[in-house]
Amino acid sequence: MSNEAVDTKITVVALVENEPGVLNRIASMFRRRAFNIDSLTVGRTHKPHISRMTIRVDAGPEYARKIANNLLKLVNVIDVRILDNEPHIERDLALIKVRNDDTESRNTITEICDRYPARIVDVGPKVAIIEMVGTEKFLEEFIEEVRPTGIVEMIRTGVVSMGRGTRIHDTDYQRPDLSRAGAEGANGNGRIV
Amino acid sequence: MKLKGSDIIMECLLKEGVHVMFGYPGGAILPTYDAIARYEGRIHHVLVRHEQGASHMADGYARATGEVGVCIATSGPGATNLVTGLATAMMDSSPIVAITGQVPIPAIGSDAFQETDVTGVTLPITKHNYLVTDVRDLAYTMKEAFHIARTGRPGPVLVDVPKDVQTAETEFIYPEGDVALPGYDPPWSANDKEIDDALRLIDEAERPIILAGHGIMMSGAMQEVRELAERAQIPVSLTLLGKGAMPEDHPLVIGMMGMHGEASSNLAIQEADLLLALGMRFDDRVTGNLQTYAKKARKIHIDIDRSEINKNVKVEVGIAGDLKTVLTQLLPKLGQKSHPHWIRRIRDWLEDSSERDILNYETPGILLTAQVINDIWKLTGGDAITVTDVGQHQMLEAQYYPHQRPATLLTSGGLGTMGFGFPAAIGAKFGKPEEEIWAIVGDGGFQMTLCEMATAVQENVNVNIAIINNHFLGMVRQWQELFFEKRYEATPMVNPDFCKLADAYGIPNRLVTKRDEIEDAVNFARSIDGPVLIEFVVEKEEMVYPMVPAGADLHDMKRRPKPGEA
């Protein structure tokens, strides 16, 4: 794991409207502007109408502003933060299926997992599944240790990140589904205030 | 009151102040066409001959008026035919709303007859787009579409409406008040530091130049820019789409910049110590080689699109905001300045340019595009709205038809869309019926959309068509002459007899082959209320000078030799 690779990645967090097609719009912007996505994760926040994305981009820090500005141009993107300049927590989760069909491999895996915050979540006579959570770098260290034992399958979620402290990244935007109520004759009308 | 989706579309158009729409019917949009019939008299529908024409007409209407242009088409091929017009409008920030029919919701995704994923296709070439899946969402979607199209950096918005949404009924309430889009917040004003930084750079500059773009007119900042230029005595160079931002006979205006710009503009940019880029985006046709572009200059860039700042050219002061608002903040703090040496230097370059002007050459026996356009300029009092196509005639229009008023040159700058000129001129006439409109087009581009002659006749649109016929795709030929050793592959054109073609459509016409015939033909065109076509047969191998070859340094221009030098 070289530090150089880490230095040329940008961590972007975007709050977006939880609507059909938003992921497509964002992915399309990255493709069109020739930015290379290293990983992209998306999930709902505590507000069901807001999704949050963590996007790791293969680009130098000089592109951070460009990427943020182009994301902000998208109508469904509510807010964007570049996390590289502030203290933040990042986590990546991997499920790794390894060979487990002899004593030696079984012992090696148990030994490695003891030294890492990794758990063996499924064991069979031939293979086992390890779950490992950590920073991207930590995960990659772990994977390199396990690799000689024989990885047969692997999946990673991609990095999710959150800034530390009280600089809260959230939006006040409420989306009451009033367009439909409005259609029935109420005062409220969708996103019009 | 309960209304069908199709009627809701029409009611929304009325609420948004739409009087005219350009379109072509088809299966999936038929319910809305039925509604169009019910609204005739309040909203006029113009039947085009190809949907590309509809999108260019909506664009021309929008450029001429500053209002949102509307086009409508059916699903599948109808919608895909709009694509070129949407991309054209996107590149030049033109506000249009396109309404497309879509197959009924249950059929979406089944590869139904005339089904295309239109929101997918148009995603990168619209400012935003919608697929309406519930008739109850229709009214606020229409409101959002118009709001997004006309605010911030304007652009095209597409609303795709499945057939069953057009026929479904719901209570119609047009949303009053402002649109609340959480992720849509165009920048507006500058902060104090930005204003102070800009003022300091202006104050310290000895060789400043204003780069005046399309954004000046979109923001309505003509007066503010003029005040800035006059008070600080800063020469003004125009982009192609910036023409009209300041009257071209103003002593501080030094002409267009860029690939076929005035040499004086390009040299001034390379020598300047300050660029004030106002509502422009440093397109590659404007900058040439970025590595050597304006190296001696510090830069102030004011644009409403944040992502344009530092995109191509790194700037010292970048202000994302509405130009008129920002300049209104800046002007009260701006003192008088003068730069007599700098302005004299630019005057010298201008004089050198006029010595090379083709109009000062003896050209017996041949008709030049520059002469045709300059004569049209004289005969129209320089006051017509000209709508060009793309190529040599476009650049020569920019050079030989000075514009005094905003939004009087309509041209496809960013996308360079051949076929744009004629339909856009028709759209412009609907927006500005009291203005004299000239479509100045080449023989190549005109043939891409000439079917709209039927539209012009059916609607009796008073548009004068000037075909500059050199029997070549002239600009491509010019590149072949300069960079491909005159191998004229696929550029010579065997053309139809344009005058006979006009006859077939019932359009009065004239053929001009000599300079002394121009005046009579132009006056003939101006005298007729309705479309008129004039074919100008010009010199086949004319060149547009100056020329900065693609990617070359901006000061590295190919110039026309002075008389006697060649």
Side-chain angles (χ1 to χ4, degrees):
Chain A
M1 186 65 213
S2 73
N3 283 327
E4 206 176 276
V6 171
D7 288 340
T8 56
K9 284 182 190 170
I10 300 168
T11 308
V12 184
V13 173
L15 296 180
V16 306
E17 290 186 76
N18 182 9
E19 281 201 5
V22 174
L23 179 60
N24 187 13
R25 287 175 198 280
I26 287 173
S28 172
M29 188 286 285
F30 278 93
R31 177 190 51 77
R32 188 157 68 91
R33 302 279 177 193
F35 299 122
N36 193 18
I37 296 177
D38 183 65
S39 76
L40 186 155
T41 67
V42 56
R44 278 195 296 271
T45 64
H46 56 301
K47 297 171 181 171
H49 58 293
I50 306 291
S51 293
R52 178 162 165 150
M53 293 184 178
T54 306
I55 309 161
R56 295 273 283 165
V57 192
D58 276 323
E62 68 274 20
Y63 291 97
R65 208 61 252 159
K66 264 187 191 181
I67 290 167
N69 284 337
N70 278 295
L71 278 173
L72 284 166
K73 262 176 94 165
L74 300 174
V75 172
N76 303 116
V77 175
I78 297 168
D79 194 29
V80 176
R81 257 159 79 177
I82 307 291
L83 284 190
D84 303 288
N85 303 326
E86 58 179 289
H88 63 277
I89 302 294
E90 75 162 57
R91 288 293 179 270
D92 194 353
L93 181 148
L95 294 177
I96 307 162
K97 192 178 281 180
V98 290
R99 241 178 10 90
N100 190 39
D101 53 358
D102 58 49
T103 318
E104 194 196 339
S105 58
R106 244 170 268 153
N107 288 345
T108 312
I109 288 159
T110 315
E111 185 268 324
I112 296 171
C113 287
D114 280 347
R115 286 189 284 110
Y116 283 87
R119 294 198 301 148
I120 297 167
V121 290
D122 182 55
V123 186
K126 293 198 167 156
V127 292
I129 298 177
I130 308 168
E131 172 200 284
M132 165 73 186
V133 181
T135 63
E136 188 180 29
K137 197 179 165 190
F138 197 36
L139 220 69
E140 269 155 27
E141 271 177 35
F142 176 77
I143 291 161
E144 288 317 308
E145 283 218 37
V146 175
R147 193 184 295 279
T149 324
I151 298 176
V152 291
E153 206 181 308
M154 187 173 100
I155 178 77
R156 288 170 68 169
T157 57
V159 172
V160 293
S161 292
M162 189 177 279
R164 299 175 69 150
T166 53
R167 232 187 117 210
I168 304 300
H169 195 198
D170 193 13
T171 171
D172 293 335
Y173 171 62
Q174 296 294 327
R175 192 182 179 192
D177 197 17
L178 288 184
S179 61
R180 312 204 169 176
E184 303 303 319
N187 288 330
N189 261 303
R191 311 209 273 190
I192 316 292
V193 289
Chain B
M1 188 176 53
K2 284 214 170 197
L3 289 182
K4 284 183 185 163
S6 54
D7 289 70
I8 289 175
I9 291 172
M10 300 307 289
E11 286 292 333
C12 292
L13 295 179
L14 280 176
K15 291 276 188 189
E16 293 295 335
V18 174
H19 305 296
V20 62
M21 61 205 290
F22 307 92
Y24 204 98
I29 195 70
L30 261 182
T32 298
Y33 269 80
D34 204 41
I36 289 173
R38 288 193 287 279
Y39 285 79
E40 185 62 58
R42 287 180 284 172
I43 299 177
H44 179 56
H45 176 269
V46 176
L47 174 65
V48 300
R49 293 303 183 272
H50 185 290
E51 291 87 350
Q52 182 186 349
S55 49
H56 289 325
M57 285 178 207
D59 190 349
Y61 177 94
R63 289 178 200 235
T65 61
E67 305 289 325
V68 179
V70 177
C71 56
I72 181 164
T74 193
S75 64
T80 56
N81 279 346
L82 295 175
V83 162
T84 301
L86 293 172
T88 305
M90 183 71 176
M91 282 292 256
D92 288 347
S93 312
S94 186
I96 70 180
V97 167
I99 298 161
T100 47
Q102 181 55 277
V103 300
I105 292 166
I108 289 179
S110 72
D111 302 321
F113 176 65
Q114 293 196 329
E115 182 190 0
T116 301
D117 171 15
V118 171
T119 42
V121 168
T122 60
L123 191 144
I125 53 163
T126 51
K127 187 173 169 187
H128 196 54
N129 62 22
Y130 295 91
L131 170 64
V132 182
T133 52
D134 188 319
V135 70
R136 292 171 295 185
D137 295 339
L138 191 52
Y140 81 72
T141 302
M142 290 292 289
K143 173 135 182 164
E144 284 183 12
F146 275 86
H147 177 74
I148 291 169
R150 70 159 71 93
T151 56
R153 178 178 179 174
V157 179
L158 180 136
V159 184
D160 199 24
V161 190
K163 193 172 185 179
D164 48 352
V165 172
Q166 297 167 46
T167 52
E169 287 193 3
T170 190
E171 199 67 32
F172 173 69
I173 297 173
Y174 198 66
E176 300 298 333
D178 295 328
V179 172
L181 288 160
Y184 184 72
D185 182 22
W188 193 247
S189 57
N191 62 39
D192 289 346
K193 184 180 183 305
E194 289 168 338
I195 295 290
D196 290 345
D197 286 350
L199 283 164
R200 183 171 49 79
L201 261 56
I202 295 171
D203 192 54
E204 289 170 6
E206 290 173 353
R207 300 184 311 279
I209 181 166
I210 288 172
L211 310 184
H214 193 193
I216 294 170
M217 290 176 278
M218 307 219 106
S219 169
M222 288 76 70
Q223 192 50 44
E224 287 74 14
V225 171
R226 188 173 175 156
E227 219 172 302
L228 167 68
E230 286 174 354
R231 201 183 308 164
Q233 283 295 299
I234 306 176
V236 178
S237 174
L238 305 165
T239 69
L240 175 63
L241 267 65
K243 279 172 75 78
M246 233 165 105
E248 287 195 62
D249 64 358
H250 191 286
L252 284 168
V253 173
I254 61 169
M256 186 171 74
M257 68 183 89
M259 183 174 271
H260 294 291
E262 288 281 357
S264 48
S265 268
N266 290 345
L267 293 171
I269 288 166
Q270 295 298 70
E271 282 303 309
D273 67 355
L274 176 69
L275 303 188
L276 267 140
L278 308 179
M280 56 83 73
R281 60 183 180 87
F282 292 109
D283 179 82
D284 56 277
R285 285 320 196 233
V286 150
T287 62
N289 180 3
L290 284 170
Q291 306 305 318
T292 58
Y293 178 72
K295 276 294 159 222
K296 300 170 185 170
R298 295 197 284 186
K299 286 129 194 148
I300 301 170
H301 190 184
I302 309 177
D303 196 278
I304 197 147
D305 184 348
R306 284 186 198 91
S307 71
E308 289 297 347
I309 311 243
N310 289 318
K311 182 180 84 175
N312 293 342
V313 171
K314 204 154 165 37
V315 300
E316 277 71 16
V317 179
I319 303 177
D322 169 61
L323 186 61
K324 187 181 172 85
T325 308
V326 173
L327 290 183
T328 306
Q329 291 174 279
L330 184 140
L331 283 170
K333 299 179 180 174
L334 179 77
Q336 301 269 353
K337 295 272 292 176
S338 69
H339 310 97
H341 296 290
W342 173 230
I343 287 172
R344 196 170 314 128
R345 231 174 126 188
I346 297 174
R347 289 265 150 252
D348 290 345
W349 288 324
L350 274 169
E351 270 169 40
D352 178 73
S353 287
S354 68
E355 284 175 36
R356 298 170 192 264
D357 191 331
I358 188 80
L359 294 183
N360 297 331
Y361 281 45
E362 295 285 327
T363 55
I366 58 168
L367 183 60
L368 295 174
T369 309
Q371 295 166 341
V372 172
I373 287 170
N374 207 239
D375 286 359
I376 293 176
W377 170 70
K378 281 181 195 147
L379 294 164
T380 57
D383 204 37
I385 293 179
T386 60
V387 190
T388 79
D389 222 77
V390 170
Q392 286 186 318
H393 73 275
Q394 177 190 33
M395 292 299 110
L396 291 164
E397 198 289 345
Q399 293 180 352
Y400 290 100
Y401 197 118
H403 290 266
Q404 299 297 104
R405 295 180 295 139
T408 53
L409 168 59
L410 316 183
T411 190
S412 168
L415 200 67
T417 307
M418 285 175 70
F420 168 84
F422 177 43
I426 294 174
K429 186 67 188 180
F430 277 98
K432 292 278 181 188
E434 72 287 358
E435 300 259 4
E436 179 176 356
I437 311 262
W438 280 80
I440 300 178
V441 297
D443 48 318
F446 182 63
Q447 289 184 73
M448 289 191 173
T449 47
L450 60 72
C451 56
E452 303 306 339
M453 280 199 285
T455 309
V457 171
Q458 185 163 345
E459 298 284 337
N460 193 35
V461 186
N462 189 357
V463 169
N464 302 315
I465 309 162
I467 302 179
I468 311 294
N469 183 2
N470 60 0
H471 294 91
F472 262 113
L473 297 176
M475 188 57 91
V476 182
R477 188 210 60 77
Q478 174 165 340
W479 284 50
Q480 289 172 330
E481 174 172 342
L482 293 172
F483 312 119
F484 296 90
E485 294 162 338
K486 296 196 176 186
R487 289 187 296 275
Y488 295 153
E489 174 58 37
T491 44
M493 293 204 111
V494 175
N495 288 327
D497 181 330
F498 288 110
C499 289
K500 273 192 185 165
L501 204 53
D503 279 338
Y505 281 95
I507 293 179
N509 54 80
R510 283 278 198 280
L511 176 69
V512 172
T513 57
K514 299 189 189 69
R515 191 161 189 189
D516 57 17
E517 296 166 352
I518 296 176
E519 182 169 352
D520 184 49
V522 169
N523 288 336
F524 167 72
R526 300 184 79 203
S527 71
I528 287 175
D529 181 23
V532 177
L533 181 149
I534 306 174
E535 177 185 354
F536 297 92
V537 178
V538 298
E539 166 61 18
K540 289 181 113 172
E541 301 194 12
E542 205 171 337
M543 298 290 278
V544 182
Y545 288 115
M547 179 179 191
V548 182
D553 305 337
L554 191 60
H555 51 268
D556 184 17
M557 287 168 278
K558 292 185 184 295
R559 306 286 303 273
R560 179 179 293 110
K562 292 181 190 180
E565 258 184 20

